Amino acid sequence: MMLPWAAAALAVLSACPSAYAMPPLYQPGDLDNNNGTANGTADGNSTSTDPMAACKLPAHINVWLSSGFAPNFFDCVPSQGTVQGFMFFVDFPDARANTTEVSPKGIYDSIVPAANDWIKTSSYGQVSLDIAADTSKFHRMPAATSSYGWESMTSEMHAQYVQDALDAYLEDQALPKAIDVLYVMAPPSASGFPNSLTTAFNPKTRPKSAGGEVMVARRAVTMGIDVYDPSHGYRVLDHETGHTMCLADYYPTDRTNSLGYFVAGFSVMGDSTQPGPDHFAWDKWRMGWLPDMAVECVAVSDMMMTTRHILTPLEQTPESGKTQAVVIAVSDTKALVAEARTRNGVDDQFCGPGVLLYTVDTQLSSGNGPIRVLNNTPDVYTCGGYPANRAPLSFEEGRSRSLTAEEFSVTVSLTDQVGMDQFIIEVKRI
Ligand SMILES: *[C@@H]1O[C@H](CO)[C@@H](O)[C@H](O)[C@H]1NC(C)=O
Ligand SMILES: *[C@@H]1O[C@H](CO)[C@@H](O)[C@H](O)[C@H]1NC(C)=O
Ligand SMILES: *[C@@H]1O[C@H](CO)[C@@H](O)[C@H](O)[C@H]1NC(C)=O
Ligand SMILES: *[C@@H]1O[C@H](CO)[C@@H](O)[C@H](O)[C@H]1NC(C)=O
Ligand SMILES: [Zn+2]
């Protein structure tokens, strides 16, 4: 979950702490205010001769976490390379950590290495998490869990929570050097904090605290107790880390429907409890994990006849000559994407292999369905929690081999398959 808000100054990265190392002291010279102005492409004025240009739908600056290219959002954590994180642990007067049952180090060990393996696998080794931690104790928060209003939290209230946590930590420890992500962990007893949140602003210490107002990180992630629920587990940290890179929520944030209402179990940014939670090819392309060569771009306006494509499963490491996504653009705000999902990588529990189709709409904000999985397979619960987990086109009995996206005036059909390595599709204009 990520609450919209404006932002302030920007931290420049510096030396990397390693896990469990004591944090080096913050240096005032590490601050650099560039106002967070990213390269704007919000007007869609693509001047390049890039053959993929029609498919690289630009992000819209006035749409909260618009799922397009070149996001214009403030100071996102880079989606390639090492994420420098720092984690500390808090508890509350009304929700003390029971230290005979839990320890900061035990929590760290049960979550961070697994979350790091997950994102390394999903990113084909392009992202790793280097999360140093203070595991000496749970730092006591000044106020009770109930006082933070978690259920109806605003961004300003969230900032108060982060500042209280920093105050509690700073009583005992020095501030970590400017980093990408600050992770604040609540204990399993903090039942008032059912879910985790990521800031859209740079967390800072209070102006009145020793040393004055100081930038701490590009983003703060405050963990709720969902991370201790074995069905979500460490993947909550991967979901929130996705937000730090400015990915949207793909579940309906108004919560009037199930978490899988828009995307079934196909993204960690939707319902992370599901068996096929890898990031979509669309997001992997946007984050630089899939190179352009792994994507075939079809602009519907140029399309005279049927095109054929051979899809290599998304979970395989990109290789020259292999295609892992077909993007069919109908406008500069909408596209249809085809990718093959199999039981590999972080989808190793997946049970509905085949060619997944979904729409992307850069004008829909986070939580309002910017990505929507298309499904015309009859509802049968045989794979995880959602019938649409069997939406991918497949030759398996009871599944669909072809799907028409009326809005896009195209039909996509699975015409052949070589084991679980090649899925041959036809895209036909109707
Ligand atoms: C930040 O933006 C404001 C308003 O656009 C501008 O006046 C100021 O010079 C900018 N600061 C920096 C450091 O770029
Ligand atoms: C904007 O794009 C140009 C050209 O791609 C690049 O050199 C520059 O570093 C970018 N600036 C920012 C703030 O991303
Ligand atoms: C946008 O495109 C128009 C028409 O092609 C051109 O005149 C204008 O200079 C472009 N603007 C930018 C910022 O590239
Ligand atoms: C802490 O956990 C231990 C072991 O489960 C239990 O015996 C004890 O009652 C707990 N203490 C509190 C204050 O809940
Ligand atoms: Zn979220």
Side-chain angles (χ1 to χ4, degrees), residues 188-267:
S189 52
S191 54
F193 294 175
N195 51 30
S196 301
L197 291 168
T198 298
T199 66
F201 53 85
N202 294 149
K204 287 186 255 176
T205 57
R206 282 203 171 78
K208 67 175 189 293
S209 61
E213 182 183 89
V214 161
M215 170 80 56
V216 175
R218 293 173 192 257
R219 294 288 189 274
V221 170
T222 57
M223 287 290 180
I225 59 169
D226 47 355
V227 75
Y228 304 114
D229 168 356
S231 62
H232 290 278
Y234 65 87
R235 284 189 303 273
V236 173
L237 194 143
D238 290 305
H239 174 103
E240 302 303 330
T241 301
H243 284 319
T244 72
M245 297 172 181
C246 293
L247 295 184
D249 274 316
Y250 294 152
Y251 63 84
T253 43
D254 65 9
R255 302 302 279 273
T256 52
N257 279 294
S258 67
L259 292 177
Y261 180 69
F262 293 125
V263 299
F266 290 105
S267 173

Side-chain angles (χ1 to χ4, degrees), residues 281-302:
W282 176 255
D283 289 330
K284 293 190 181 198
W285 189 28
R286 291 199 297 143
M287 292 195 284
W289 303 353
L290 283 180
D292 284 3
M293 74 175 186
V295 179
E296 289 178 18
C297 174
V298 178
V300 167
S301 55
D302 299 339

Side-chain angles (χ1 to χ4, degrees), residues 144-214:
T145 52
S146 53
S147 73
Y148 291 104
W150 205 253
E151 294 292 357
S152 54
M153 177 128 336
T154 64
S155 211
E156 289 81 355
M157 290 156 72
H158 196 207
Q160 292 297 315
Y161 177 75
V162 173
Q163 288 184 325
D164 275 3
L166 282 165
D167 280 355
Y169 174 75
L170 290 167
E171 275 189 25
D172 311 304
Q173 302 285 352
L175 195 62
K177 200 167 178 68
I179 47 168
D180 291 318
V181 187
L182 176 71
Y183 295 93
V184 179
M185 306 297 288
S189 52
S191 54
F193 294 175
N195 51 30
S196 301
L197 291 168
T198 298
T199 66
F201 53 85
N202 294 149
K204 287 186 255 176
T205 57
R206 282 203 171 78
K208 67 175 189 293
S209 61
E213 182 183 89
V214 161

Side-chain angles (χ1 to χ4, degrees), residues 34 36-40:
N34 78 352
T37 43
N39 270 330

Side-chain angles (χ1 to χ4, degrees), residues 21-60:
M22 288 312 289
L25 286 175
Y26 170 78
Q27 303 293 321
D30 291 334
L31 277 188
D32 177 21
N33 185 351
N34 78 352
N35 277 358
T37 43
N39 270 330
T41 54
D43 61 1
N45 211 354
S46 175
T47 51
S48 72
T49 53
D50 183 354
M52 311 304 280
C55 289
K56 287 183 177 170
L57 312 181
H60 286 260

Side-chain angles (χ1 to χ4, degrees), residues 39-385:
N39 270 330
T41 54
D43 61 1
N45 211 354
S46 175
T47 51
S48 72
T49 53
D50 183 354
M52 311 304 280
C55 289
K56 287 183 177 170
L57 312 181
H60 286 260
I61 196 157
N62 55 349
V63 175
W64 174 237
L65 298 180
S66 170
S67 295
F69 276 74
N72 293 287
F73 309 105
F74 175 72
D75 198 17
C76 309
V77 169
S79 56
Q80 288 175 292
T82 302
V83 175
Q84 302 294 345
F86 182 74
M87 178 178 282
F88 67 82
F89 296 77
V90 296
D91 70 357
F92 304 84
D94 64 331
R96 296 176 181 225
N98 186 337
T99 51
T100 62
E101 286 186 325
V102 293
S103 70
K105 184 171 186 308
I107 293 170
Y108 183 100
D109 288 346
S110 68
I111 292 169
V112 175
N116 188 26
D117 285 349
W118 194 97
I119 199 167
K120 271 188 185 165
T121 302
S122 179
S123 67
Y124 316 112
Q126 297 190 50
V127 176
S128 61
L129 306 178
D130 182 358
I131 303 179
D134 168 33
T135 56
S136 64
K137 64 183 281 197
F138 291 91
H139 301 272
R140 181 68 38 80
M141 292 288 273
T145 52
S146 53
S147 73
Y148 291 104
W150 205 253
E151 294 292 357
S152 54
M153 177 128 336
T154 64
S155 211
E156 289 81 355
M157 290 156 72
H158 196 207
Q160 292 297 315
Y161 177 75
V162 173
Q163 288 184 325
D164 275 3
L166 282 165
D167 280 355
Y169 174 75
L170 290 167
E171 275 189 25
D172 311 304
Q173 302 285 352
L175 195 62
K177 200 167 178 68
I179 47 168
D180 291 318
V181 187
L182 176 71
Y183 295 93
V184 179
M185 306 297 288
S189 52
S191 54
F193 294 175
N195 51 30
S196 301
L197 291 168
T198 298
T199 66
F201 53 85
N202 294 149
K204 287 186 255 176
T205 57
R206 282 203 171 78
K208 67 175 189 293
S209 61
E213 182 183 89
V214 161
M215 170 80 56
V216 175
R218 293 173 192 257
R219 294 288 189 274
V221 170
T222 57
M223 287 290 180
I225 59 169
D226 47 355
V227 75
Y228 304 114
D229 168 356
S231 62
H232 290 278
Y234 65 87
R235 284 189 303 273
V236 173
L237 194 143
D238 290 305
H239 174 103
E240 302 303 330
T241 301
H243 284 319
T244 72
M245 297 172 181
C246 293
L247 295 184
D249 274 316
Y250 294 152
Y251 63 84
T253 43
D254 65 9
R255 302 302 279 273
T256 52
N257 279 294
S258 67
L259 292 177
Y261 180 69
F262 293 125
V263 299
F266 290 105
S267 173
V268 74
M269 301 313 292
D271 182 345
S272 65
T273 67
Q274 293 291 302
D278 206 354
H279 284 290
F280 287 113
W282 176 255
D283 289 330
K284 293 190 181 198
W285 189 28
R286 291 199 297 143
M287 292 195 284
W289 303 353
L290 283 180
D292 284 3
M293 74 175 186
V295 179
E296 289 178 18
C297 174
V298 178
V300 167
S301 55
D302 299 339
M303 215 178 137
M304 307 302 281
M305 57 186 96
T306 302
T307 61
R308 271 179 96 248
H309 311 269
I310 303 173
L311 282 167
T312 294
L314 180 68
E315 300 86 1
Q316 294 187 19
T317 301
E319 265 178 61
S320 165
K322 293 188 174 173
T323 298
Q324 287 168 290
V326 175
V327 177
I328 303 148
V330 285
S331 71
D332 62 1
T333 64
K334 286 184 185 179
L336 175 69
V337 183
E339 69 194 39
R341 288 290 189 97
T342 56
R343 193 176 190 137
N344 281 299
V346 299
D347 287 344
D348 61 356
Q349 303 299 310
F350 186 52
C351 30
V355 173
L356 178 66
L357 298 170
Y358 52 90
T359 57
V360 175
D361 187 336
T362 58
Q363 288 183 303
L364 293 175
S365 58
S366 181
N368 288 311
I371 291 188
R372 299 183 185 204
V373 161
L374 302 182
N375 179 28
N376 69 354
T377 290
D379 287 3
V380 186
Y381 281 92
T382 57
C383 174

